[in-house]
mmCIF file of all heavy atoms in Angstrom:
data_model
loop_
_atom_site.group_PDB
_atom_site.id
_atom_site.type_symbol
_atom_site.label_atom_id
_atom_site.label_comp_id
_atom_site.label_asym_id
_atom_site.label_seq_id
_atom_site.Cartn_x
_atom_site.Cartn_y
_atom_site.Cartn_z
ATOM 1 N N LEU A 52 -1.398 -7.068 -12.962
ATOM 2 C CA LEU A 52 -2.285 -6.101 -13.605
ATOM 3 C C LEU A 52 -3.685 -6.689 -13.554
ATOM 4 O O LEU A 52 -3.965 -7.716 -14.182
ATOM 5 C CB LEU A 52 -1.858 -5.842 -15.046
ATOM 6 C CG LEU A 52 -2.796 -4.987 -15.891
ATOM 7 C CD1 LEU A 52 -3.036 -3.621 -15.249
ATOM 8 C CD2 LEU A 52 -2.249 -4.838 -17.306
ATOM 9 N N ILE A 53 -4.541 -6.070 -12.779
ATOM 10 C CA ILE A 53 -5.909 -6.538 -12.604
ATOM 11 C C ILE A 53 -6.802 -5.678 -13.487
ATOM 12 O O ILE A 53 -6.903 -4.469 -13.292
ATOM 13 C CB ILE A 53 -6.344 -6.433 -11.132
ATOM 14 C CG1 ILE A 53 -5.410 -7.253 -10.257
ATOM 15 C CG2 ILE A 53 -7.791 -6.870 -10.972
ATOM 16 C CD1 ILE A 53 -5.605 -7.036 -8.772
ATOM 17 N N ILE A 54 -7.412 -6.311 -14.473
ATOM 18 C CA ILE A 54 -8.270 -5.588 -15.418
ATOM 19 C C ILE A 54 -9.712 -6.035 -15.211
ATOM 20 O O ILE A 54 -10.014 -7.228 -15.277
ATOM 21 C CB ILE A 54 -7.861 -5.844 -16.877
ATOM 22 C CG1 ILE A 54 -6.385 -5.519 -17.094
ATOM 23 C CG2 ILE A 54 -8.748 -5.022 -17.822
ATOM 24 C CD1 ILE A 54 -5.877 -5.892 -18.480
ATOM 25 N N MET A 55 -10.580 -5.064 -14.969
ATOM 26 C CA MET A 55 -12.002 -5.331 -14.844
ATOM 27 C C MET A 55 -12.692 -4.777 -16.087
ATOM 28 O O MET A 55 -12.641 -3.578 -16.335
ATOM 29 C CB MET A 55 -12.598 -4.650 -13.601
ATOM 30 C CG MET A 55 -12.096 -5.182 -12.276
ATOM 31 S SD MET A 55 -10.452 -4.620 -11.819
ATOM 32 C CE MET A 55 -10.598 -2.875 -11.850
ATOM 33 N N ASN A 56 -13.316 -5.660 -16.846
ATOM 34 C CA ASN A 56 -14.124 -5.225 -17.984
ATOM 35 C C ASN A 56 -15.510 -4.922 -17.433
ATOM 36 O O ASN A 56 -16.255 -5.822 -17.063
ATOM 37 C CB ASN A 56 -14.176 -6.322 -19.048
ATOM 38 C CG ASN A 56 -14.985 -5.911 -20.244
ATOM 39 O OD1 ASN A 56 -15.423 -4.770 -20.359
ATOM 40 N ND2 ASN A 56 -15.201 -6.841 -21.147
ATOM 41 N N ASP A 57 -15.841 -3.649 -17.382
ATOM 42 C CA ASP A 57 -17.074 -3.182 -16.749
ATOM 43 C C ASP A 57 -18.261 -3.235 -17.710
ATOM 44 O O ASP A 57 -18.896 -2.232 -17.998
ATOM 45 C CB ASP A 57 -16.860 -1.762 -16.209
ATOM 46 C CG ASP A 57 -18.032 -1.234 -15.400
ATOM 47 O OD1 ASP A 57 -18.775 -2.058 -14.838
ATOM 48 O OD2 ASP A 57 -18.195 -0.006 -15.343
ATOM 49 N N GLY A 58 -18.521 -4.428 -18.248
ATOM 50 C CA GLY A 58 -19.691 -4.626 -19.100
ATOM 51 C C GLY A 58 -19.588 -4.016 -20.483
ATOM 52 O O GLY A 58 -20.606 -3.582 -21.041
ATOM 53 N N SER A 59 -18.409 -3.983 -21.049
ATOM 54 C CA SER A 59 -18.229 -3.405 -22.387
ATOM 55 C C SER A 59 -19.098 -4.103 -23.416
ATOM 56 O O SER A 59 -19.333 -5.309 -23.344
ATOM 57 C CB SER A 59 -16.762 -3.514 -22.821
ATOM 58 O OG SER A 59 -15.939 -2.738 -21.990
ATOM 59 N N THR A 60 -19.554 -3.324 -24.403
ATOM 60 C CA THR A 60 -20.370 -3.876 -25.490
ATOM 61 C C THR A 60 -19.613 -3.882 -26.814
ATOM 62 O O THR A 60 -20.173 -4.268 -27.837
ATOM 63 C CB THR A 60 -21.677 -3.072 -25.645
ATOM 64 O OG1 THR A 60 -21.359 -1.697 -25.879
ATOM 65 C CG2 THR A 60 -22.531 -3.186 -24.385
ATOM 66 N N ASP A 61 -18.361 -3.455 -26.797
ATOM 67 C CA ASP A 61 -17.530 -3.502 -27.996
ATOM 68 C C ASP A 61 -16.555 -4.684 -27.865
ATOM 69 O O ASP A 61 -16.816 -5.608 -27.102
ATOM 70 C CB ASP A 61 -16.805 -2.164 -28.221
ATOM 71 C CG ASP A 61 -15.861 -1.798 -27.082
ATOM 72 O OD1 ASP A 61 -15.695 -2.608 -26.130
ATOM 73 O OD2 ASP A 61 -15.283 -0.706 -27.125
ATOM 74 N N ASP A 62 -15.445 -4.672 -28.561
ATOM 75 C CA ASP A 62 -14.518 -5.809 -28.504
ATOM 76 C C ASP A 62 -13.383 -5.623 -27.490
ATOM 77 O O ASP A 62 -12.313 -6.199 -27.628
ATOM 78 C CB ASP A 62 -13.978 -6.149 -29.887
ATOM 79 C CG ASP A 62 -13.162 -5.037 -30.507
ATOM 80 O OD1 ASP A 62 -13.226 -3.893 -30.032
ATOM 81 O OD2 ASP A 62 -12.436 -5.321 -31.477
ATOM 82 N N THR A 63 -13.645 -4.844 -26.444
ATOM 83 C CA THR A 63 -12.669 -4.657 -25.370
ATOM 84 C C THR A 63 -12.230 -6.000 -24.793
ATOM 85 O O THR A 63 -11.032 -6.243 -24.604
ATOM 86 C CB THR A 63 -13.253 -3.763 -24.259
ATOM 87 O OG1 THR A 63 -13.495 -2.454 -24.790
ATOM 88 C CG2 THR A 63 -12.322 -3.656 -23.071
ATOM 89 N N GLU A 64 -13.175 -6.879 -24.509
ATOM 90 C CA GLU A 64 -12.834 -8.173 -23.906
ATOM 91 C C GLU A 64 -11.882 -8.971 -24.790
ATOM 92 O O GLU A 64 -10.881 -9.511 -24.304
ATOM 93 C CB GLU A 64 -14.092 -9.000 -23.633
ATOM 94 C CG GLU A 64 -13.763 -10.347 -23.017
ATOM 95 C CD GLU A 64 -14.991 -11.124 -22.629
ATOM 96 O OE1 GLU A 64 -15.849 -11.382 -23.499
ATOM 97 O OE2 GLU A 64 -15.085 -11.476 -21.435
ATOM 98 N N ALA A 65 -12.149 -9.050 -26.068
ATOM 99 C CA ALA A 65 -11.282 -9.812 -26.976
ATOM 100 C C ALA A 65 -9.862 -9.255 -26.974
ATOM 101 O O ALA A 65 -8.887 -10.012 -26.996
ATOM 102 C CB ALA A 65 -11.858 -9.801 -28.391
ATOM 103 N N LYS A 66 -9.746 -7.953 -26.925
ATOM 104 C CA LYS A 66 -8.418 -7.337 -26.928
ATOM 105 C C LYS A 66 -7.681 -7.629 -25.627
ATOM 106 O O LYS A 66 -6.476 -7.877 -25.635
ATOM 107 C CB LYS A 66 -8.524 -5.847 -27.204
ATOM 108 C CG LYS A 66 -8.954 -5.600 -28.647
ATOM 109 C CD LYS A 66 -8.943 -4.163 -29.032
ATOM 110 C CE LYS A 66 -9.299 -4.033 -30.510
ATOM 111 N NZ LYS A 66 -9.210 -2.664 -30.981
ATOM 112 N N ILE A 67 -8.384 -7.614 -24.515
ATOM 113 C CA ILE A 67 -7.750 -7.947 -23.233
ATOM 114 C C ILE A 67 -7.318 -9.409 -23.230
ATOM 115 O O ILE A 67 -6.197 -9.738 -22.819
ATOM 116 C CB ILE A 67 -8.706 -7.667 -22.055
ATOM 117 C CG1 ILE A 67 -9.025 -6.178 -21.953
ATOM 118 C CG2 ILE A 67 -8.110 -8.191 -20.740
ATOM 119 C CD1 ILE A 67 -10.176 -5.852 -21.016
#
Side-chain angles (χ1 to χ4, degrees):
L52 173 57
I53 301 170
I54 305 174
M55 294 77 56
N56 181 6
D57 186 26
S59 295
T60 57
D61 62 4
D62 63 345
T63 296
E64 180 175 57
K66 291 186 176 184
I67 296 168

